[in-house]
Amino acid sequence: MARPYARRINDIEPFRVVEVLTRAKQLAAQGRDIVRLEAGEPDFSTAEPIVRAAQAALNRGETHYSQAAGLPELREAISRYYQRDYGLDIAPERIMVTPGASGALLLISGLLLNPGDGILMTDPGYPCNRNFFRLVEGEGQLVPVGPEDRYQLTAAKAEAAWRNNTVGAIVASPANPTGEILTADELRDLHTLCEQKNGHLIVDEIYHGLDYDEKAASILSITDRAFVINSFSKYFGMTGWRLGWLVAPPDAIPHLERMAQNLFISMSTMGQFGALAAFEPETRVILDSRRDEFKRRRDFLLPELQQLGFTLPHTPAGALYLYAGIERFGQTSADFCRSMLEEHGISITPGADFGRYRADEHVRFAYTTSMERLEEAVGRLRRLFA
């Protein structure tokens, strides 16, 4: 007789993009030509100055544990980044380096949620958020949002959805899977609502730097009482290094640090020394040129998909994605993605990965591959749908 596992495991949904990615790699290994548009991972290798800095750290013997909150010099570098890029004075003591943005979310979940508590989040939205909340016996409270809201959680929608067990809201700007941003006024309204409800506001800013037509506002310009999640994975292109950070209210830091001591002990020390170089002018020139290339890809792929019948009512302001309606094609999202991959060699992510609201009517394209491969994908789609 099988021994039982914890009931929460049954509520942790699969991360479907990983399943799609795995199948795409299997087909490629069989010799199929697969255009990879599923993963939200920049296709560029980590910028050379970062790699050199990490190699130098290894050569110096920097292979021991760092502090649980991160290297002091990296926390100071992140503080200077906020000063240079946003004009904000964020004390290094309010910043914690984490094992990816996921580590930051785990710490925040453990800090804010008692069993049975809930946090509002958009549907569609980043799928792992609700699974982190479930892991600590809380719940992600999905709020349906559509193109009329630019797929974002407004203060009015948050107020209408607030329940007796709601303790806060999490938003992302720019957002995954839609690429939409929240304006400074919209962030201010959400902060005001959370203050009125004696709740917490968490803002995922991991796609900051990948904002194309206007700079995304940071909640840190509005309040020091919100929690901010960020990452070295997206704009900084360090996905496999697994480094992120969080900014928290001063009174939260001792509790977060105590959890980090127990859960993580330390982040990759050599990775943190590499991340120090991410803020250097030489590196920023490289990263900004890559951002411009992502914008060029977005500006190519968006009108092509619209002409082929995909529904895209807005031009996404940032991130790496196009969240496209497939109503015209008469298939569920899962069936559409399966046929695109298995029959036509185009790997995209079904809407069901991002929530429930109209999920079967949407797919996500990630423009994280070269223009040449995007043109190949569009050529295949034209032969099918033009």
Side-chain angles (χ1 to χ4, degrees):
M1 181 176 178
R3 290 175 295 177
Y5 296 118
R7 288 187 297 274
R8 71 174 68 86
I9 296 302
N10 297 322
D11 299 329
I12 304 294
E13 298 181 28
F15 200 1
R16 292 173 182 84
V17 69
V18 176
E19 297 178 344
V20 174
L21 186 153
T22 300
R23 180 57 179 159
K25 288 182 176 179
Q26 289 173 347
L27 292 173
Q30 296 169 14
R32 293 278 303 276
D33 180 24
I34 306 299
V35 183
R36 300 280 306 283
L37 303 175
E38 80 289 318
E41 178 176 26
D43 54 318
F44 301 104
S45 297
T46 299
E48 184 58 29
I50 298 172
V51 175
R52 288 199 306 266
Q55 290 171 334
L58 284 170
N59 291 335
R60 294 194 307 270
E62 304 283 6
T63 58
H64 301 283
Y65 292 135
S66 74
Q67 294 90 328
L71 290 174
E73 48 266 61
L74 183 54
R75 298 167 79 187
E76 291 165 3
I78 296 169
S79 175
R80 290 192 297 272
Y81 161 75
Y82 280 111
Q83 178 62 58
R84 285 194 305 264
D85 281 48
Y86 299 88
L88 298 174
D89 291 319
I90 307 298
E93 294 76 19
R94 290 181 56 199
I95 299 166
M96 288 187 60
V97 184
T98 56
S102 299
L105 185 60
L106 179 60
L107 293 177
I108 290 171
S109 300
L111 178 74
L112 301 185
L113 286 161
N114 287 308
D117 288 344
I119 291 181
L120 301 178
M121 55 182 292
T122 60
D123 180 2
Y126 180 60
C128 298
N129 290 343
R130 61 182 181 270
N131 292 327
F132 274 103
F133 301 153
R134 177 66 185 92
L135 190 67
V136 297
E137 302 299 330
E139 64 172 349
Q141 298 173 331
L142 299 180
V143 182
V145 294
E148 67 280 3
D149 313 299
R150 288 181 296 104
Y151 297 101
Q152 284 288 7
L153 183 65
T154 64
K157 277 189 170 288
E159 184 168 22
W162 205 279
R163 309 178 197 172
N164 290 337
N165 67 329
T166 301
V167 298
I170 183 169
V171 293
S173 177
N176 179 6
T178 64
E180 298 286 3
I181 66 170
L182 287 159
T183 66
D185 287 341
E186 289 168 332
L187 287 167
R188 185 175 292 106
D189 290 344
L190 282 167
H191 164 63
T192 299
L193 173 69
C194 288
E195 289 290 292
Q196 291 170 349
K197 298 287 189 180
N198 196 32
H200 303 280
L201 180 60
I202 309 162
V203 183
D204 175 342
E205 297 185 354
I206 73 171
Y207 292 100
H208 274 224
L210 295 176
D211 33 19
Y212 304 123
D213 303 307
E214 59 179 302
K215 186 174 177 61
S218 174
I219 189 64
L220 298 171
S221 67
I222 295 164
T223 177
D224 62 0
R225 289 174 58 82
F227 294 83
V228 166
I229 295 170
N230 212 317
S231 174
F232 286 98
S233 290
K234 306 303 182 179
Y235 169 72
F236 295 101
M238 298 175 64
T239 49
W241 302 68
R242 304 312 303 139
L243 285 175
W245 76 83
L246 66 85
V247 183
D251 66 320
I253 291 295
H255 309 298
L256 293 165
E257 190 166 358
R258 189 164 68 250
M259 279 192 290
Q261 291 165 354
N262 285 273
L263 295 174
F264 310 134
I265 300 176
S266 170
M267 282 59 64
S268 163
T269 300
M270 62 290 293
Q272 291 183 77
F273 277 105
L276 282 169
F279 302 105
E280 294 300 322
E282 174 191 15
T283 312
R284 296 297 299 274
V285 170
I286 297 169
L287 301 180
D288 286 348
S289 70
R290 294 177 175 184
R291 177 199 59 210
D292 295 342
E293 174 61 15
F294 285 127
K295 180 180 186 297
R296 188 167 79 96
R297 296 175 185 179
R298 180 202 68 174
D299 292 345
F300 164 75
L301 187 58
L302 174 66
E304 292 287 351
L305 293 178
Q306 289 172 325
Q307 289 174 19
L308 289 168
F310 292 88
T311 305
L312 288 143
H314 306 122
T315 299
L320 300 165
Y321 314 113
L322 297 174
Y323 192 62
I326 57 169
E327 302 92 332
R328 173 194 168 192
F329 306 114
Q331 288 182 287
T332 66
S333 175
D335 288 342
F336 184 87
C337 291
R338 189 178 302 110
S339 67
M340 286 297 102
L341 177 56
E342 300 289 342
E343 299 171 27
H344 308 290
I346 303 171
S347 180
I348 54 180
T349 306
D353 216 13
F354 307 105
R356 299 175 177 84
Y357 179 61
R358 298 183 61 190
D360 268 350
E361 302 171 22
H362 288 83
V363 297
R364 189 192 73 176
F365 291 83
Y367 43 90
T368 50
T369 191
S370 68
M371 280 293 296
E372 179 184 11
R373 299 301 285 162
L374 290 178
E375 289 166 356
E376 173 65 25
V378 167
R380 296 182 191 182
L381 292 170
R382 281 179 184 155
R383 290 190 287 274
L384 285 168
F385 301 127

